[in-house]
Amino acid sequence: MTQQQRPTDKAFAPEYQGALGSLSVNSSLTDVLAKGVEELRAAERARQPVDVARCGLAVAEAYRRLGRVADADRAWKASYRAARSAGDTGAMAWALWSGGTLARQRGSLALAYRLLGLAAELGERGGDVVVRGYSLAGLAETGRIQGDYQAVGELHEQLLAEARRRGEARHTVWALEGIAQMHRNTGSYDRALALFEEAADTAGRADDRRGRAWALRGIADVVSVRDGDVDRALALLAEAESVCREMNLSSALAYNLKMRGNVRYRAGRYAQARDDYAQALAGFREMNEPRGTALARLGLAKSLARLGRNPAETAVELADLRRTLDRIGLRHARDMVDRATDELGVGPFPGEDRRVEEATAR
């Protein structure tokens, strides 16, 4: 069965291919990895490069989502080499998509753009509209997390329209959540909430538990910041957390814990927020995810400042965070650091006064 021939009334995982095509989008990642490695070894013994490439893709994605980034890096590259030796353009595109997604997760945004762009080109050349769509979505998401909403907003809308036209529930949910996040970050809370709720409903009807968990996190964020409804936000996050733990979604769980910290911080529950951020930070560091690490560090620094930390120490921490985010290229997150500096009254950053004096003296 090809990706285009799959039923569209329920969510499916197109990265599970070949002998792994029967796996559910809701399969536990540890189960996916175990089955993937088993089938990969069988394909290697049979010297079937196409099967090696397809099984290797699932293995790479399981490793990536479990936070085992070094293993994921080796796996997607091996999948690509096998696909190239077999002359399978579609499998090459999927391997590049996996590599580009991993690069974004690791904070290597320039590499992510390059790999995802190549994946989209190969997908189009090979006639695989699904990998083309996923690769374009990856490019759009990379631009979105950088805060370049003007450049990628139209692409998000285009991909949403395509996903709806083809009836791809999982991709529809992704696009809805991405557009909702941009509205949330620009202060259009009502529109963001409507889109997150549509995403949650769509994911629920399509039995996409991962997509629903991400949507619930978005809803919790909006009802917290817009309505101050702490109890509802925490209940939504608890529901999402249970899904993350059942499916071993390491990255999603860490982001869920960070959001719980956000909700409690907004409510003035600084000690609880501190513990949430610390737990999220440990998760992000374990999986070597720079963006999540930086965001959890920011929340932790703010909580500690509210709990009486020396302002000079907070200023040093925020200055280091701003440099880190500049290096990664996350403009929206960098703006969050600047707002935190104003909120906590700990500026200017160390050395900033001297640079200002030098500039004005020229």
Side-chain angles (χ1 to χ4, degrees), residues 49-50 53 77-89 91-92 95:
V50 172
K77 289 175 180 175
S79 175
Y80 178 80
R81 289 193 296 269
R84 185 176 59 187
S85 71
D88 190 329
T89 304
M92 290 167 64

Side-chain angles (χ1 to χ4, degrees), residues 64-215:
R64 180 181 68 80
R65 290 166 179 158
L66 287 167
R68 296 171 59 176
V69 294
D71 291 324
D73 191 52
R74 286 189 289 269
W76 83 259
K77 289 175 180 175
S79 175
Y80 178 80
R81 289 193 296 269
R84 185 176 59 187
S85 71
D88 190 329
T89 304
M92 290 167 64
W94 276 110
L96 289 170
W97 165 79
S98 179
T101 306
L102 176 65
R104 183 179 64 243
Q105 180 174 316
R106 300 174 79 173
S108 302
L109 301 187
L111 178 60
Y113 277 120
R114 185 161 64 86
L115 294 177
L116 291 167
L118 289 170
E121 290 177 15
L122 286 178
E124 186 167 9
R125 189 189 310 167
D128 190 328
V129 297
V130 179
V131 71
R132 173 188 170 275
Y134 270 63
S135 301
L136 290 175
L139 290 170
E141 186 165 346
T142 304
R144 176 170 57 78
I145 67 171
Q146 284 188 288
D148 198 357
Y149 302 154
Q150 185 174 358
V152 300
E154 185 175 339
L155 181 54
H156 272 79
E157 295 284 359
Q158 173 193 329
L159 293 169
L160 174 59
E162 290 183 7
R164 280 176 163 161
R165 184 168 61 251
R166 293 198 301 268
E168 291 177 12
R170 187 184 182 207
H171 214 189
T172 297
V173 169
W174 167 86
L176 286 168
E177 291 172 352
I179 297 167
Q181 190 64 51
M182 287 187 282
H183 281 295
R184 180 261 179 266
N185 289 347
T186 53
S188 300
Y189 300 129
D190 293 347
R191 181 61 177 152
L193 182 59
L195 289 167
F196 276 129
E197 288 177 337
E198 183 182 352
D201 181 64
T202 302
R205 285 186 282 104
D207 194 26
D208 177 5
R209 299 183 69 204
R210 180 189 298 136
R212 179 171 168 77
W214 280 106

Side-chain angles (χ1 to χ4, degrees), residues 264-275 302-304 306-307 343:
R264 285 173 164 163
Y265 180 87
R266 291 170 191 145
R269 303 178 186 178
Y270 301 125
Q272 290 178 317
R274 173 200 59 201
D275 295 343
K302 291 169 61 177
S303 299
L304 291 172
R306 294 293 189 181
L307 291 169
E343 173 192 336

Side-chain angles (χ1 to χ4, degrees), residues 15 21 26 28 51 95 110 134-135 148 169 190 192 277 325 333 356-357:
E15 65 271 30
N26 297 319
S28 164
D51 293 337
Y134 270 63
S135 301
D148 198 357
D190 293 347
Y277 287 130
L325 293 166
V356 171
E357 289 173 5

Side-chain angles (χ1 to χ4, degrees), residues 310-321:
N310 187 310
E313 294 179 13
T314 300
V316 169
E317 175 82 1
L318 294 179
D320 182 62
L321 269 172

